[in-house]
Amino acid sequence: IKWTSASWCEDQDFFRFSGIFRSVWLLAVPQAHLADIRLDPALSADYSAGVLHARIRTEGAGTLCAALYDGARRIAGTEQPFAAGGDVTFALDVPAPKLWSAETPCLYRLRLTVRDAAGAVCEAAEQKFGFRRFEIRNGIMELNGRRIVFRGVNRHEFSARTGRAVTRAETLQDVVTMKKNN
């Protein structure tokens, strides 16, 4: 049932559509592969040092190679074997990390490469992440130790031309327009 007597109250600012309205992908994976990636970047109390804690769920048997990049420069890495799947965990130190904020979105790249038991590369993935700390201290929201003020809107992804299928360009145009209008 798409419409009820209470539809207007619940959905007055958000249009609901039925069916598939975004891209659908089917993915084939090798026997040794990445099943899940969890990254937890942490900062020291004075923001002078960072550590990337990673938990990578794997399937199959092989070797996981991880390389951490700041732009084009490799700053850390590790290589760990895995058998019969499971979690591979590691921590990579980042001295003097560049801090992420909405105004200066400094991102690092973690490149993960899976090699099978024979040593052949069978999967590679990259994940971008940033070092930042959000806290509430004395009732004040802070990002990286500095006060932050949010100015929000009630925004739903909707295109006048394509409905709920919103392009990256339309989303970027919306964000730029909102930023210009404070």
Side-chain angles (χ1 to χ4, degrees):
I1 298 173
K2 187 169 181 176
W3 306 109
T4 67
S5 59
S7 294
W8 188 84
C9 293
E10 183 178 328
D11 297 326
Q12 60 184 321
D13 64 344
F14 191 74
F15 297 103
R16 305 269 184 215
F17 295 116
S18 301
I20 297 173
F21 49 86
R22 303 245 178 164
S23 299
V24 175
W25 295 82
L26 297 177
L27 181 64
V29 295
Q31 284 190 336
H33 71 95
L34 303 168
D36 191 35
I37 301 169
R38 179 179 176 140
L39 303 181
D40 292 315
L43 288 165
S44 62
D46 63 356
Y47 307 99
S48 65
V51 178
L52 173 64
H53 298 279
R55 186 177 76 213
I56 315 298
R57 190 175 331 123
T58 60
E59 292 185 1
T63 303
L64 175 67
C65 303
L68 180 58
Y69 293 90
D70 178 5
R73 185 174 63 100
R74 181 181 165 147
I75 56 175
T78 186
E79 189 171 309
Q80 295 188 20
F82 61 91
D87 287 350
V88 175
T89 60
F90 57 87
L92 300 174
D93 292 325
V94 179
K98 297 174 186 172
L99 301 181
W100 181 96
S101 73
E103 287 71 30
T104 56
C106 298
L107 294 176
Y108 291 82
R109 287 182 304 122
L110 180 66
R111 178 138 177 94
L112 300 169
T113 306
V114 176
R115 297 181 186 277
D116 63 14
V121 173
C122 51
E123 187 174 31
E126 274 193 4
Q127 182 71 48
K128 292 181 180 180
F129 68 94
F131 284 97
R132 54 107 175 102
R133 181 183 304 139
F134 178 82
E135 299 175 289
I136 298 178
R137 275 197 269 187
N138 300 321
I140 296 174
M141 293 182 285
E142 295 182 355
L143 181 67
N144 300 328
R146 298 180 62 189
R147 182 181 178 172
I148 184 171
V149 177
F150 293 100
R151 293 184 180 103
V153 296
N154 182 11
R155 179 183 178 274
H156 296 290
E157 290 188 344
F158 186 82
S159 169
R161 290 186 304 265
T162 58
R164 296 273 295 148
V166 181
T167 66
R168 180 173 168 75
E170 288 174 312
T171 301
L172 182 59
Q173 181 183 2
D174 285 353
V175 171
V176 169
T177 302
M178 286 187 280
K179 283 258 195 194
K180 283 181 180 177
N181 288 290
N182 229 2

